[in-house]
């Protein structure tokens, strides 16, 4: 894993995101190297989830770019001419017409196009579909794919990683324990066969022994070739599995260093590791 | 009894449209009753233009029904695209008011274009049997029930067994998470409107063939009753809409039969209030439990 000849899988450059008047991400730049686990640490409200939602196309950035192996996923910023048009009126106009009129710029990719390009996500709080069975959840993870044989192969692969899910295939996902739901959320994201897997706080609210198992599987998925961007509050564990680490604070990247270095950084230890670890 | 079931089937078909849209968007689509009304007039004009009115045949009637369903599906998708999608991110109250506005607009357009009450031709032969003493079977009830059953099985298959149905259920749980999985949420919502509207059109044709008269305000009462049925069963729940529809239909028919037909609506809404007192989420409605 030498850093020099590493290809960049996901390159985020100077990203700005607003929630109404709130400047949630302030010029965030971040690179995820192919084949590695990169971790993004930060406290609650630092903007970690906002970043992942923006990568997945659920928020649109006001400026900056997100590139997957060089391909830009974000659109052009809206032109000045479009600023005076109320958004509800704008949404009535067919997009092509609005573009010809110069009211909107080139649009960013829609969430389903982003999944199809190779970025999938296990969202914060797991968000499995509780009223669907485990099998149906996994089938939905492969929604953008049509290669039946490949989907079947990936299904048996994730069930090999998490035998617990195999036992519960036809059970409603809402009846699973928290740890099993987290496994399902990651497995579901894996069903898209992502090039880059986004994980939003997989340790949230789970017992330490279960978290340890989940992190072991994350490492295994990574060893088998999936690039991972791991967002965590639990810096202790995240730094153990990751190669590179970023620290996000109130919407800004404060630190970027090899994970091994941050493990020994007293400031990080005080801020995120807590005295007990 | 049987006409109670067939009345219930009609309520259930319309209620499905309310409940499916509510399930995906948490929106009460007040314009749905008007889509039902337009389905009746679309059937009438289709039957007239295609000549099915003069010499009705079973395939001809089926084609008229299919045509009305396609027309209403397109209408439902248009309503969603023009009136609701631009407001997707606004507050629920704004969308609700818009829905009422669309409903009034369509109802008044209907009054302008179709005039008042119109008679609907007899498209299928109507007979009555008495297979058992005291049990009367009307052919229109049999037709209504069998068409409804076929449509409901079709819908059940669509929702439970296909990838689109899974996507629809996923969207109804969380639009954001569904989008993260790569589900094209806008398309799923659009098709949901199309399916619900097509069911309403089928219900409209069945009612029109039974009652032989259609009117531009039929969507207001029919729609309201079906909405009650959807709430009764638990809005957002597909089996709930079916159960609520049949329950309401049976209640109304029994009340008209044994008490007086003027009491029908009072009892219907009384039942609604009574059930909601004890089960606020409706008969089959779920109060969601989240595990952390």
């Amino acid at each position: 894993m030498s850093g020099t000849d590493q290809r960049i899988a996901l390159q985020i450059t100077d990203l700005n995101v607003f929630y109404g008047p709130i400047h949630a991400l302030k010029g965030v730049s971040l690179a995820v190297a192919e084949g590695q686990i990169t971790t993004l640490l930060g406290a609650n409200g630092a903007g970690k989830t906002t970043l992942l939602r923006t990568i997945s196309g659920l928020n649109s950035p006001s400026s900056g770019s997100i590139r997957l192996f060089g391909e830009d996923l974000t659109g052009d910023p809206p032109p000045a001419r479009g600023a005076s048009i109320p958004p509800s009126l704008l949404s009535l106009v067919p997009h092509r017409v609005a573009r010809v009129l110069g009211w909107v710029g080139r649009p960013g990719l829609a969430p389903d196009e982003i999944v199809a390009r190779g970025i999938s996500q296990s969202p914060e709080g797991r968000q499995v579909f509780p009223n669907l069975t485990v099998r149906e959840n996994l089938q939905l993870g492969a929604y953008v794919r049509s290669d039946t044989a490949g989907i079947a192969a990936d299904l048996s692969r994730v069930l090999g990683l998490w035998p617990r899910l195999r036992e519960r295939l036809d059970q409603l996902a809402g009846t699973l324990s928290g740890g099993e739901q987290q496994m399902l959320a990651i497995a579901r994201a894996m069903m898209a066969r992502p090039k880059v897997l986004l994980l939003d706080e997989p340790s949230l609210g789970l017992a330490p022994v279960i978290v340890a198992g989940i992190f072991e599987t994350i490492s295994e998925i990574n060893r088998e070739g999936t690039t991972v961007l791991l967002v965590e509050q639990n810096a202790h564990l995240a730094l153990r599995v990751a190669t590179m680490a970023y620290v996000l604070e109130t919407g800004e990247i404060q630190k970027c260093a090899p994970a091994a270095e941050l493990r020994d950084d007293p400031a990080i230890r005080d801020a995120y590791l807590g005295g007990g670890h | 009894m049987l006409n109670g079931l067939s009345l219930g089937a009609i309520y259930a078909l319309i209620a499905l449209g309310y409940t499916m849209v509510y399930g995906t968007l948490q929106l009460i689509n007040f314009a749905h009753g008007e889509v039902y009304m337009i389905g009746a007039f679309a059937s009438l004009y289709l039957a007239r233009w295609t000549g099915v009115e003069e010499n009705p045949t079973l395939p001809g009637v089926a084609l008229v029904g299919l045509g009305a369903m396609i027309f209403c599906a397109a209408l439902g998708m248009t309503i969603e695209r023009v009136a609701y999608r631009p407001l997707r991110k606004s507050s629920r109250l704004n969308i609700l008011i818009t829905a009422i506005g669309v409903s009034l607009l369509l109802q008044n357009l209907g009054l302008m274009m179709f005039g008042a009450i119109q008679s609907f031709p007899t498209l299928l032969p109507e007979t009555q049997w008495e297979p058992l003493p005291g049990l009367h079977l009307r052919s229109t009830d049999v037709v209504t029930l069998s068409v409804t059953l076929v449509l409901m099985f079709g819908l059940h298959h669509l929702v439970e067994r296909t990838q689109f149905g899974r996507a629809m259920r996923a969207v109804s749980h969380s639009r954001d998470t569904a989008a993260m999985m790569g589900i094209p949420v806008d398309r799923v919502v659009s098709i949901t409107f199309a399916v619900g509207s097509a069911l309403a059109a089928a219900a409209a044709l069945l009612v029109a063939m039974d009652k032989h008269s259609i009117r531009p305000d039929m969507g207001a009462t029919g729609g309201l009753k079906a909405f009650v049925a959807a709430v009764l069963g638990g809005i957002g729940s597909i089996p709930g809409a079916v159960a609520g529809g049949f329950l309401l239909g049976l209640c109304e028919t029994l009340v008209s039969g044994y008490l007086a037909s003027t009491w029908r609506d009072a009892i219907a809404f009384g039942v609604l209030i009574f059930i909601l007192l004890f089960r606020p989420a409706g008969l089959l409605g779920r109060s969601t439990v989240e595990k952390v």
Side-chain angles (χ1 to χ4, degrees):
Chain A
M1 294 239 171
S2 62
T4 47
D5 57 342
Q6 204 78 46
R7 275 213 298 169
I8 299 299
L10 190 65
Q11 175 82 59
I12 292 162
T13 315
D14 204 19
L15 199 68
N16 284 289
V17 175
F18 288 85
Y19 275 130
I22 300 159
H23 199 174
L25 293 180
K26 304 165 187 160
V28 167
S29 294
L30 177 153
V32 177
E34 187 182 17
Q36 291 185 354
I37 298 180
T38 301
T39 187
L40 177 68
L41 307 173
N44 258 341
K48 306 185 301 287
T49 298
T50 303
L51 178 63
L52 289 198
R53 284 174 59 91
T54 310
I55 298 173
S56 282
L58 272 84
N59 296 340
S60 9
S62 59
S63 66
S65 72
I66 301 169
R67 288 169 187 279
L68 177 70
F69 292 107
E71 185 193 3
D72 195 352
L73 310 179
T74 45
D76 296 337
R81 218 193 316 176
S84 57
I85 319 254
S88 56
L89 176 66
L90 206 55
S91 66
L92 272 177
V93 181
H95 199 87
R96 278 198 203 108
V97 176
R99 271 191 70 186
V100 170
L101 293 173
W103 289 357
V104 293
R106 186 175 59 86
L109 292 185
D112 53 310
E113 295 170 309
I114 292 174
V115 176
R117 294 291 192 288
I119 300 180
S120 68
Q121 169 165 181
S122 157
E124 184 185 29
R126 307 181 264 284
Q127 296 292 335
V128 297
F129 301 117
N131 47 341
L132 273 68
T133 65
V134 170
R135 187 195 302 275
E136 289 174 327
N137 269 275
L138 293 171
Q139 284 167 331
L140 280 178
Y143 193 87
V144 297
R145 298 171 60 185
S146 48
D147 54 325
T148 320
I151 294 173
D154 281 346
L155 182 64
S156 57
R157 179 175 162 225
V158 299
L159 294 178
L161 282 170
W162 289 284
R164 288 286 278 283
L165 296 182
R166 188 190 294 279
E167 292 162 24
R168 287 163 170 61
L169 261 184
D170 294 308
Q171 213 166 305
L172 290 182
T175 66
L176 301 182
S177 71
E180 289 163 347
Q181 291 193 6
Q182 184 60 61
M183 297 173 197
L184 177 57
I186 302 176
R188 183 179 61 178
M190 288 298 291
M191 288 301 293
R193 194 178 283 183
K195 293 177 184 135
V196 178
L197 175 66
L198 310 178
L199 301 175
D200 197 347
E201 294 217 37
S203 74
L204 189 74
L206 299 180
V209 55
I210 294 174
V211 174
I214 284 172
F215 271 70
E216 218 162 89
T217 321
I218 294 172
S219 297
E220 192 173 335
I221 291 170
N222 173 247
R223 275 197 301 277
E224 286 172 6
T226 307
T227 305
V228 176
L229 175 57
L230 170 65
V231 161
E232 259 301 340
Q233 273 193 74
N234 186 334
H236 184 67
L237 273 167
L239 290 174
R240 213 154 57 192
V241 296
T243 309
M244 278 298 288
Y246 289 80
V247 177
L248 189 68
E249 252 170 48
T250 55
E252 284 174 279
I253 298 284
Q254 292 295 342
K255 258 199 173 81
C256 157
E261 220 168 90
L262 286 191
R263 269 196 293 257
D264 306 321
D265 186 324
I268 295 295
R269 204 173 323 167
D270 291 346
Y272 301 108
L273 300 183
H277 286 276
Chain B
M1 189 71 185
L2 197 65
N3 53 37
L5 283 179
S6 82
L7 180 65
I10 297 296
Y11 288 150
L13 278 180
I14 311 172
L16 283 168
Y18 280 108
T19 221
M20 284 165 65
V21 164
Y22 185 85
T24 47
L25 286 184
Q26 284 75 50
L27 157 74
I28 294 162
N29 177 17
F30 279 109
H32 190 60
E34 273 56 53
V35 172
Y36 158 74
M37 174 271 289
I38 288 172
F41 282 95
S43 305
L44 176 66
Y45 289 115
L46 273 173
R48 204 164 278 170
W49 289 334
T50 52
V52 174
E53 189 179 11
E54 277 92 50
N55 37 21
T57 55
L58 190 60
V61 175
L63 276 179
V64 165
L66 206 62
M69 285 170 80
I70 292 173
F71 181 79
C72 282
L75 176 67
M77 284 165 88
T78 311
I79 292 173
E80 188 270 328
R81 181 69 187 82
V82 173
Y84 302 145
R85 197 180 298 177
L87 298 174
R88 195 69 64 75
K89 291 193 174 91
S90 338
S91 83
R92 275 220 218 141
L93 189 62
N94 293 359
I95 308 182
L96 197 71
I97 292 168
T98 307
I100 295 172
V102 174
S103 163
L104 290 174
L105 173 77
L106 290 177
Q107 198 175 327
N108 287 293
L109 273 180
L111 268 171
M112 278 166 59
M113 285 164 60
F114 311 133
I117 192 163
Q118 292 208 24
S119 68
F120 199 86
T122 303
L123 294 182
L124 291 177
E126 285 167 30
T127 48
Q128 268 204 34
W129 310 282
E130 197 171 347
L132 292 170
L135 178 74
H136 297 274
L137 282 185
R138 295 191 320 137
S139 60
T140 41
D141 289 341
V142 175
V143 169
T144 299
L145 275 175
S146 32
V147 170
T148 303
L149 282 181
V150 168
L151 290 173
M152 280 176 184
F153 275 111
L155 181 71
H156 179 81
H157 179 85
L158 177 77
V159 172
E160 296 295 329
R161 298 271 177 275
T162 65
Q163 186 76 334
F164 170 75
R166 284 190 280 274
M168 207 182 101
R169 284 180 284 148
V171 169
S172 83
H173 173 66
S174 159
R175 260 181 277 160
D176 275 2
T177 313
M180 274 183 201
M181 297 307 123
I183 296 166
V185 175
D186 281 345
R187 199 180 315 153
V188 170
V189 169
S190 186
I191 296 175
T192 304
F193 270 84
V195 172
S197 304
L199 293 177
L205 174 60
L206 293 170
V207 165
M209 288 199 301
D210 186 22
K211 303 267 185 262
H212 298 297
S213 76
I214 56 179
R215 39 201 297 170
D217 62 353
M218 67 190 276
T221 42
L224 189 60
K225 293 284 185 56
F227 174 62
V228 167
V231 174
L232 207 56
I235 192 147
S237 153
I238 287 177
V242 175
F246 280 114
L247 181 70
L248 193 65
L250 281 175
C251 265
E252 285 196 4
T253 313
L254 291 178
V255 169
S256 332
Y258 291 101
L259 290 169
S261 57
T262 41
W263 279 76
R264 202 180 57 184
D265 294 353
I267 299 282
F269 289 100
V271 167
L272 173 78
I273 293 170
F274 185 76
I275 288 187
L276 291 188
L277 275 178
F278 292 97
R279 288 196 57 103
L283 287 175
L284 302 177
R286 274 184 283 242
S287 42
T288 42
V289 183
E290 260 178 52
K291 210 173 263 182
V292 184

